[in-house]
Short mmCIF file of all heavy atoms in Angstrom, two decimals:
data_model
loop_
_atom_site.label_atom_id
_atom_site.label_comp_id
_atom_site.label_asym_id
_atom_site.label_seq_id
_atom_site.Cartn_x
_atom_site.Cartn_y
_atom_site.Cartn_z
N MET E 18 0.82 -1.18 0.00
CA MET E 18 0.00 0.00 0.00
C MET E 18 0.87 1.26 0.00
O MET E 18 0.56 2.22 -0.68
CB MET E 18 -0.94 -0.04 1.21
CG MET E 18 -1.91 1.08 1.24
SD MET E 18 -3.07 0.90 -0.10
CE MET E 18 -4.41 1.79 0.51
N TYR E 19 1.96 1.22 0.78
CA TYR E 19 2.84 2.38 0.85
C TYR E 19 3.41 2.73 -0.53
O TYR E 19 3.42 3.89 -0.94
CB TYR E 19 3.99 2.12 1.83
CG TYR E 19 5.03 3.20 1.80
CD1 TYR E 19 4.80 4.43 2.42
CD2 TYR E 19 6.23 3.01 1.15
CE1 TYR E 19 5.74 5.44 2.37
CE2 TYR E 19 7.18 4.01 1.11
CZ TYR E 19 6.94 5.21 1.71
OH TYR E 19 7.87 6.20 1.68
N PHE E 20 3.88 1.70 -1.26
CA PHE E 20 4.50 1.96 -2.55
C PHE E 20 3.48 2.45 -3.57
O PHE E 20 3.81 3.29 -4.42
CB PHE E 20 5.23 0.71 -3.05
CG PHE E 20 6.42 0.37 -2.19
CD1 PHE E 20 6.39 -0.72 -1.36
CD2 PHE E 20 7.55 1.15 -2.21
CE1 PHE E 20 7.47 -1.03 -0.55
CE2 PHE E 20 8.65 0.87 -1.42
CZ PHE E 20 8.61 -0.24 -0.59
N LYS E 21 2.26 1.96 -3.48
CA LYS E 21 1.22 2.44 -4.38
C LYS E 21 0.93 3.92 -4.11
O LYS E 21 0.83 4.71 -5.05
CB LYS E 21 -0.06 1.61 -4.20
CG LYS E 21 -1.13 2.02 -5.19
CD LYS E 21 -2.47 1.31 -5.13
CE LYS E 21 -2.76 0.24 -4.21
NZ LYS E 21 -4.14 -0.27 -4.29
N SER E 22 0.85 4.29 -2.86
CA SER E 22 0.62 5.69 -2.50
C SER E 22 1.78 6.57 -2.95
O SER E 22 1.58 7.69 -3.43
CB SER E 22 0.43 5.84 -0.99
OG SER E 22 -0.70 5.12 -0.58
N LEU E 23 2.99 6.07 -2.80
CA LEU E 23 4.17 6.81 -3.24
C LEU E 23 4.12 7.04 -4.75
O LEU E 23 4.36 8.16 -5.22
CB LEU E 23 5.43 6.03 -2.87
CG LEU E 23 6.77 6.66 -3.17
CD1 LEU E 23 6.96 7.92 -2.34
CD2 LEU E 23 7.88 5.66 -2.88
N LEU E 24 3.77 6.02 -5.49
CA LEU E 24 3.68 6.13 -6.95
C LEU E 24 2.61 7.13 -7.36
O LEU E 24 2.85 7.99 -8.22
CB LEU E 24 3.40 4.76 -7.57
CG LEU E 24 3.25 4.74 -9.09
CD1 LEU E 24 4.52 5.23 -9.77
CD2 LEU E 24 2.89 3.33 -9.55
N ILE E 25 1.45 7.05 -6.74
CA ILE E 25 0.37 8.00 -7.05
C ILE E 25 0.82 9.43 -6.74
O ILE E 25 0.56 10.36 -7.52
CB ILE E 25 -0.92 7.65 -6.27
CG1 ILE E 25 -1.47 6.29 -6.72
CG2 ILE E 25 -1.97 8.74 -6.44
CD1 ILE E 25 -1.84 6.21 -8.18
N GLY E 26 1.52 9.61 -5.64
CA GLY E 26 2.04 10.93 -5.29
C GLY E 26 2.99 11.46 -6.35
O GLY E 26 2.94 12.65 -6.70
N PHE E 27 3.85 10.60 -6.86
CA PHE E 27 4.77 11.03 -7.93
C PHE E 27 4.02 11.44 -9.19
O PHE E 27 4.35 12.44 -9.82
CB PHE E 27 5.77 9.93 -8.27
CG PHE E 27 6.99 9.95 -7.40
CD1 PHE E 27 7.25 8.91 -6.55
CD2 PHE E 27 7.87 11.02 -7.44
CE1 PHE E 27 8.37 8.93 -5.74
CE2 PHE E 27 8.99 11.06 -6.64
CZ PHE E 27 9.24 10.00 -5.79
N VAL E 28 3.01 10.67 -9.55
CA VAL E 28 2.23 10.99 -10.74
C VAL E 28 1.50 12.33 -10.56
O VAL E 28 1.50 13.18 -11.47
CB VAL E 28 1.24 9.85 -11.09
CG1 VAL E 28 0.29 10.27 -12.20
CG2 VAL E 28 2.01 8.59 -11.48
N VAL E 29 0.90 12.54 -9.41
CA VAL E 29 0.20 13.79 -9.14
C VAL E 29 1.17 14.98 -9.18
O VAL E 29 0.88 16.01 -9.80
CB VAL E 29 -0.55 13.73 -7.79
CG1 VAL E 29 -1.06 15.09 -7.37
CG2 VAL E 29 -1.70 12.72 -7.86
N ASP E 30 2.34 14.83 -8.55
CA ASP E 30 3.35 15.90 -8.59
C ASP E 30 3.82 16.17 -10.01
O ASP E 30 4.01 17.32 -10.42
CB ASP E 30 4.55 15.55 -7.72
CG ASP E 30 4.26 15.63 -6.24
OD1 ASP E 30 3.22 16.21 -5.85
OD2 ASP E 30 5.07 15.10 -5.46
N TRP E 31 4.00 15.12 -10.78
CA TRP E 31 4.45 15.24 -12.17
C TRP E 31 3.41 16.00 -12.99
O TRP E 31 3.76 16.93 -13.74
CB TRP E 31 4.69 13.84 -12.73
CG TRP E 31 5.07 13.77 -14.17
CD1 TRP E 31 6.22 14.26 -14.74
CD2 TRP E 31 4.32 13.17 -15.22
NE1 TRP E 31 6.22 13.97 -16.08
CE2 TRP E 31 5.06 13.31 -16.40
CE3 TRP E 31 3.09 12.52 -15.27
CZ2 TRP E 31 4.62 12.82 -17.63
CZ3 TRP E 31 2.66 12.03 -16.49
CH2 TRP E 31 3.41 12.19 -17.64
N ILE E 32 2.15 15.66 -12.83
CA ILE E 32 1.08 16.36 -13.56
C ILE E 32 1.01 17.81 -13.11
O ILE E 32 0.90 18.72 -13.93
CB ILE E 32 -0.27 15.64 -13.38
CG1 ILE E 32 -0.24 14.28 -14.08
CG2 ILE E 32 -1.42 16.50 -13.90
CD1 ILE E 32 -1.41 13.38 -13.77
N SER E 33 1.10 18.05 -11.81
CA SER E 33 1.04 19.41 -11.26
C SER E 33 2.19 20.28 -11.77
O SER E 33 2.05 21.49 -11.90
CB SER E 33 1.09 19.38 -9.73
OG SER E 33 -0.05 18.73 -9.23
N SER E 34 3.34 19.67 -12.05
CA SER E 34 4.49 20.43 -12.54
C SER E 34 4.42 20.68 -14.04
O SER E 34 5.36 21.24 -14.62
CB SER E 34 5.79 19.69 -12.20
OG SER E 34 5.97 18.60 -13.08
N GLY E 35 3.34 20.25 -14.66
CA GLY E 35 3.20 20.43 -16.10
C GLY E 35 3.94 19.36 -16.89
O GLY E 35 4.24 19.55 -18.07
N MET E 36 4.23 18.24 -16.24
CA MET E 36 4.91 17.10 -16.86
C MET E 36 6.24 17.51 -17.49
O MET E 36 6.58 17.11 -18.59
CB MET E 36 3.98 16.44 -17.89
CG MET E 36 2.71 15.89 -17.26
SD MET E 36 1.58 15.17 -18.43
CE MET E 36 0.68 16.63 -18.95
N ARG E 37 6.99 18.33 -16.75
CA ARG E 37 8.23 18.90 -17.28
C ARG E 37 9.46 18.01 -17.09
O ARG E 37 10.54 18.38 -17.51
CB ARG E 37 8.50 20.25 -16.63
CG ARG E 37 7.52 21.31 -17.11
CD ARG E 37 7.89 22.62 -16.51
NE ARG E 37 7.38 22.61 -15.14
CZ ARG E 37 7.12 23.69 -14.45
NH1 ARG E 37 7.35 24.87 -14.94
NH2 ARG E 37 6.62 23.60 -13.23
N TYR E 38 9.33 16.89 -16.47
CA TYR E 38 10.48 16.00 -16.31
C TYR E 38 10.07 14.58 -16.67
O TYR E 38 8.89 14.28 -16.83
CB TYR E 38 11.06 16.08 -14.88
CG TYR E 38 10.08 15.74 -13.77
CD1 TYR E 38 9.90 14.43 -13.35
CD2 TYR E 38 9.34 16.73 -13.15
CE1 TYR E 38 9.01 14.12 -12.33
CE2 TYR E 38 8.45 16.44 -12.13
CZ TYR E 38 8.30 15.13 -11.73
OH TYR E 38 7.41 14.83 -10.71
N ASP E 39 11.06 13.73 -16.84
CA ASP E 39 10.81 12.34 -17.23
C ASP E 39 10.38 11.54 -16.01
O ASP E 39 11.20 11.22 -15.14
CB ASP E 39 12.08 11.74 -17.84
CG ASP E 39 11.85 10.36 -18.43
OD1 ASP E 39 10.80 9.73 -18.15
OD2 ASP E 39 12.72 9.90 -19.19
N LEU E 40 9.11 11.25 -15.94
CA LEU E 40 8.55 10.50 -14.81
C LEU E 40 9.17 9.12 -14.70
O LEU E 40 9.43 8.62 -13.61
CB LEU E 40 7.04 10.41 -14.93
CG LEU E 40 6.30 9.70 -13.80
CD1 LEU E 40 6.52 10.42 -12.49
CD2 LEU E 40 4.82 9.59 -14.11
N GLY E 41 9.45 8.49 -15.83
CA GLY E 41 10.05 7.15 -15.83
C GLY E 41 11.40 7.14 -15.12
O GLY E 41 11.70 6.22 -14.36
N ASP E 42 12.22 8.17 -15.37
CA ASP E 42 13.52 8.26 -14.69
C ASP E 42 13.35 8.40 -13.19
O ASP E 42 14.07 7.80 -12.40
CB ASP E 42 14.33 9.45 -15.23
CG ASP E 42 14.90 9.20 -16.60
OD1 ASP E 42 14.94 8.03 -17.05
OD2 ASP E 42 15.31 10.19 -17.25
N LYS E 43 12.39 9.22 -12.78
CA LYS E 43 12.14 9.45 -11.35
C LYS E 43 11.68 8.15 -10.68
O LYS E 43 12.17 7.78 -9.61
CB LYS E 43 11.08 10.53 -11.19
CG LYS E 43 10.80 10.94 -9.77
CD LYS E 43 11.86 11.82 -9.21
CE LYS E 43 11.48 13.26 -9.42
NZ LYS E 43 12.37 14.19 -8.75
N ILE E 44 10.77 7.43 -11.32
CA ILE E 44 10.25 6.18 -10.76
C ILE E 44 11.35 5.12 -10.72
O ILE E 44 11.48 4.38 -9.74
CB ILE E 44 9.01 5.69 -11.54
CG1 ILE E 44 7.85 6.65 -11.27
CG2 ILE E 44 8.64 4.26 -11.16
CD1 ILE E 44 6.63 6.40 -12.10
N LYS E 45 12.18 5.07 -11.76
CA LYS E 45 13.29 4.12 -11.77
C LYS E 45 14.23 4.37 -10.60
O LYS E 45 14.66 3.44 -9.93
CB LYS E 45 14.06 4.22 -13.09
CG LYS E 45 15.20 3.25 -13.20
CD LYS E 45 15.91 3.40 -14.53
CE LYS E 45 17.11 2.45 -14.57
NZ LYS E 45 17.91 2.67 -15.78
N ARG E 46 14.52 5.63 -10.32
CA ARG E 46 15.42 5.98 -9.21
C ARG E 46 14.81 5.56 -7.87
O ARG E 46 15.50 5.00 -7.01
CB ARG E 46 15.69 7.48 -9.22
CG ARG E 46 16.57 7.93 -8.11
CD ARG E 46 17.99 7.38 -8.25
NE ARG E 46 18.78 7.82 -7.12
CZ ARG E 46 19.59 7.05 -6.42
NH1 ARG E 46 19.76 5.79 -6.76
NH2 ARG E 46 20.25 7.52 -5.40
N ILE E 47 13.52 5.80 -7.68
CA ILE E 47 12.85 5.41 -6.45
C ILE E 47 12.88 3.89 -6.29
O ILE E 47 13.12 3.38 -5.19
CB ILE E 47 11.41 5.94 -6.41
CG1 ILE E 47 11.42 7.46 -6.33
CG2 ILE E 47 10.63 5.34 -5.26
CD1 ILE E 47 12.14 8.03 -5.12
N CYS E 48 12.68 3.17 -7.38
CA CYS E 48 12.73 1.70 -7.31
C CYS E 48 14.12 1.23 -6.91
O CYS E 48 14.25 0.28 -6.13
CB CYS E 48 12.34 1.10 -8.66
SG CYS E 48 10.58 1.26 -9.03
N GLU E 49 15.17 1.89 -7.42
CA GLU E 49 16.54 1.54 -7.04
C GLU E 49 16.76 1.79 -5.55
O GLU E 49 17.39 0.99 -4.87
CB GLU E 49 17.54 2.36 -7.86
CG GLU E 49 17.59 1.97 -9.32
CD GLU E 49 18.39 2.95 -10.16
OE1 GLU E 49 18.81 4.02 -9.65
OE2 GLU E 49 18.59 2.65 -11.35
N ILE E 50 16.25 2.90 -5.05
CA ILE E 50 16.44 3.25 -3.65
C ILE E 50 15.75 2.24 -2.73
O ILE E 50 16.30 1.82 -1.72
CB ILE E 50 15.93 4.68 -3.37
CG1 ILE E 50 16.85 5.70 -4.05
CG2 ILE E 50 15.81 4.96 -1.87
CD1 ILE E 50 16.30 7.11 -4.07
N PHE E 51 14.52 1.86 -3.08
CA PHE E 51 13.73 0.99 -2.22
C PHE E 51 13.92 -0.50 -2.51
O PHE E 51 13.31 -1.34 -1.85
CB PHE E 51 12.24 1.33 -2.33
CG PHE E 51 11.88 2.58 -1.60
CD1 PHE E 51 11.66 3.77 -2.28
CD2 PHE E 51 11.75 2.59 -0.22
CE1 PHE E 51 11.32 4.93 -1.61
CE2 PHE E 51 11.42 3.74 0.46
CZ PHE E 51 11.21 4.91 -0.24
N ASP E 52 14.76 -0.85 -3.47
CA ASP E 52 14.96 -2.25 -3.84
C ASP E 52 15.36 -3.07 -2.62
O ASP E 52 16.33 -2.75 -1.93
CB ASP E 52 16.03 -2.38 -4.92
CG ASP E 52 16.17 -3.79 -5.42
OD1 ASP E 52 15.17 -4.51 -5.47
OD2 ASP E 52 17.31 -4.18 -5.75
N GLY E 53 14.60 -4.10 -2.32
CA GLY E 53 14.89 -4.98 -1.20
C GLY E 53 14.30 -4.55 0.13
O GLY E 53 14.37 -5.29 1.10
N SER E 54 13.72 -3.37 0.18
CA SER E 54 13.22 -2.87 1.46
C SER E 54 12.04 -3.68 1.98
O SER E 54 11.90 -3.88 3.18
CB SER E 54 12.85 -1.39 1.37
OG SER E 54 11.81 -1.17 0.45
N MET E 55 11.20 -4.17 1.09
CA MET E 55 10.05 -4.96 1.52
C MET E 55 10.52 -6.27 2.14
O MET E 55 10.03 -6.67 3.19
CB MET E 55 9.10 -5.24 0.35
CG MET E 55 7.86 -5.99 0.77
SD MET E 55 6.84 -5.16 2.00
CE MET E 55 6.21 -3.81 1.06
N GLU E 56 11.50 -6.92 1.51
CA GLU E 56 12.03 -8.16 2.06
C GLU E 56 12.66 -7.93 3.44
O GLU E 56 12.45 -8.72 4.36
CB GLU E 56 13.08 -8.77 1.12
CG GLU E 56 12.51 -9.30 -0.18
CD GLU E 56 12.36 -8.24 -1.27
OE1 GLU E 56 12.64 -7.05 -1.02
OE2 GLU E 56 11.95 -8.60 -2.37
N ARG E 57 13.43 -6.85 3.57
CA ARG E 57 14.05 -6.55 4.87
C ARG E 57 12.99 -6.29 5.93
O ARG E 57 13.13 -6.72 7.07
CB ARG E 57 14.98 -5.34 4.74
CG ARG E 57 16.28 -5.66 4.01
CD ARG E 57 17.28 -4.53 4.09
NE ARG E 57 16.81 -3.26 3.58
CZ ARG E 57 16.89 -2.86 2.31
NH1 ARG E 57 17.42 -3.65 1.40
NH2 ARG E 57 16.43 -1.68 1.95
N ALA E 58 11.92 -5.59 5.57
CA ALA E 58 10.86 -5.30 6.52
C ALA E 58 10.16 -6.60 6.97
O ALA E 58 9.86 -6.77 8.15
CB ALA E 58 9.84 -4.34 5.92
N LEU E 59 9.93 -7.51 6.03
CA LEU E 59 9.28 -8.77 6.38
C LEU E 59 10.17 -9.63 7.28
O LEU E 59 9.69 -10.24 8.24
CB LEU E 59 8.90 -9.54 5.12
CG LEU E 59 7.78 -8.93 4.30
CD1 LEU E 59 7.64 -9.67 2.96
CD2 LEU E 59 6.47 -8.93 5.05
N ILE E 60 11.46 -9.65 7.00
CA ILE E 60 12.39 -10.41 7.84
C ILE E 60 12.43 -9.82 9.25
O ILE E 60 12.35 -10.55 10.25
CB ILE E 60 13.80 -10.44 7.21
CG1 ILE E 60 13.78 -11.32 5.96
CG2 ILE E 60 14.85 -10.93 8.20
CD1 ILE E 60 15.01 -11.18 5.09
N LYS E 61 12.53 -8.52 9.33
CA LYS E 61 12.57 -7.85 10.63
C LYS E 61 11.28 -8.09 11.41
O LYS E 61 11.30 -8.36 12.61
CB LYS E 61 12.79 -6.35 10.44
CG LYS E 61 13.06 -5.61 11.71
CD LYS E 61 13.43 -4.16 11.42
CE LYS E 61 13.76 -3.44 12.69
NZ LYS E 61 14.19 -2.07 12.45
N SER E 62 10.15 -8.03 10.72
CA SER E 62 8.86 -8.27 11.37
C SER E 62 8.77 -9.70 11.89
O SER E 62 8.29 -9.94 13.00
CB SER E 62 7.73 -7.99 10.38
OG SER E 62 6.50 -8.33 10.94
N SER E 63 9.23 -10.63 11.11
CA SER E 63 9.19 -12.04 11.51
C SER E 63 10.06 -12.28 12.74
O SER E 63 9.64 -12.96 13.67
CB SER E 63 9.68 -12.92 10.35
OG SER E 63 9.74 -14.25 10.75
N ARG E 64 11.24 -11.69 12.76
CA ARG E 64 12.13 -11.84 13.92
C ARG E 64 11.51 -11.22 15.16
O ARG E 64 11.57 -11.79 16.24
CB ARG E 64 13.48 -11.19 13.63
CG ARG E 64 14.32 -11.96 12.66
CD ARG E 64 15.63 -11.28 12.42
NE ARG E 64 16.38 -11.98 11.39
CZ ARG E 64 17.31 -11.41 10.64
NH1 ARG E 64 17.64 -10.15 10.83
NH2 ARG E 64 17.94 -12.10 9.74
N SER E 65 10.93 -10.06 15.00
CA SER E 65 10.30 -9.36 16.13
C SER E 65 9.14 -10.17 16.69
O SER E 65 8.96 -10.29 17.88
CB SER E 65 9.82 -7.99 15.69
OG SER E 65 9.14 -7.35 16.73
N HIS E 66 8.36 -10.76 15.78
CA HIS E 66 7.21 -11.58 16.19
C HIS E 66 7.68 -12.81 16.97
O HIS E 66 7.10 -13.15 18.01
CB HIS E 66 6.41 -12.00 14.95
CG HIS E 66 5.21 -12.86 15.28
ND1 HIS E 66 4.10 -12.37 15.90
CD2 HIS E 66 5.01 -14.17 15.09
CE1 HIS E 66 3.22 -13.36 16.08
NE2 HIS E 66 3.76 -14.46 15.58
N LYS E 67 8.74 -13.45 16.51
CA LYS E 67 9.27 -14.63 17.18
C LYS E 67 9.81 -14.27 18.57
O LYS E 67 9.65 -15.03 19.51
CB LYS E 67 10.38 -15.28 16.36
CG LYS E 67 9.86 -15.99 15.13
CD LYS E 67 11.02 -16.55 14.31
CE LYS E 67 10.50 -17.16 13.02
NZ LYS E 67 11.60 -17.62 12.17
N ASP E 68 10.46 -13.11 18.69
CA ASP E 68 11.01 -12.68 19.98
C ASP E 68 9.92 -12.39 20.99
O ASP E 68 10.13 -12.53 22.19
CB ASP E 68 11.86 -11.41 19.80
CG ASP E 68 13.16 -11.69 19.04
OD1 ASP E 68 13.54 -12.87 18.92
OD2 ASP E 68 13.77 -10.70 18.56
N ASN E 69 8.74 -12.00 20.53
CA ASN E 69 7.64 -11.64 21.43
C ASN E 69 6.78 -12.82 21.84
O ASN E 69 5.86 -12.67 22.62
CB ASN E 69 6.77 -10.55 20.80
CG ASN E 69 7.49 -9.23 20.73
OD1 ASN E 69 8.33 -8.92 21.56
ND2 ASN E 69 7.19 -8.45 19.71
N GLN E 70 7.05 -13.98 21.30
CA GLN E 70 6.24 -15.15 21.65
C GLN E 70 6.78 -15.87 22.83
O GLN E 70 7.83 -15.87 23.25
CB GLN E 70 6.15 -16.11 20.46
CG GLN E 70 5.27 -15.58 19.38
CD GLN E 70 5.07 -16.60 18.25
OE1 GLN E 70 5.83 -17.54 18.10
NE2 GLN E 70 4.04 -16.39 17.49
#
């Protein structure tokens, strides 16, 4: 859900700016930055859950 909201935010900002920049480049950069973050979050959540049991 977070990534979907982030993507929608980028599209809205892009449209608001008059579509003056390459949205594909911006989205590619964000994907590079967040690559693997979902897996790390799931691993961390699983470890935390096990510690609390």
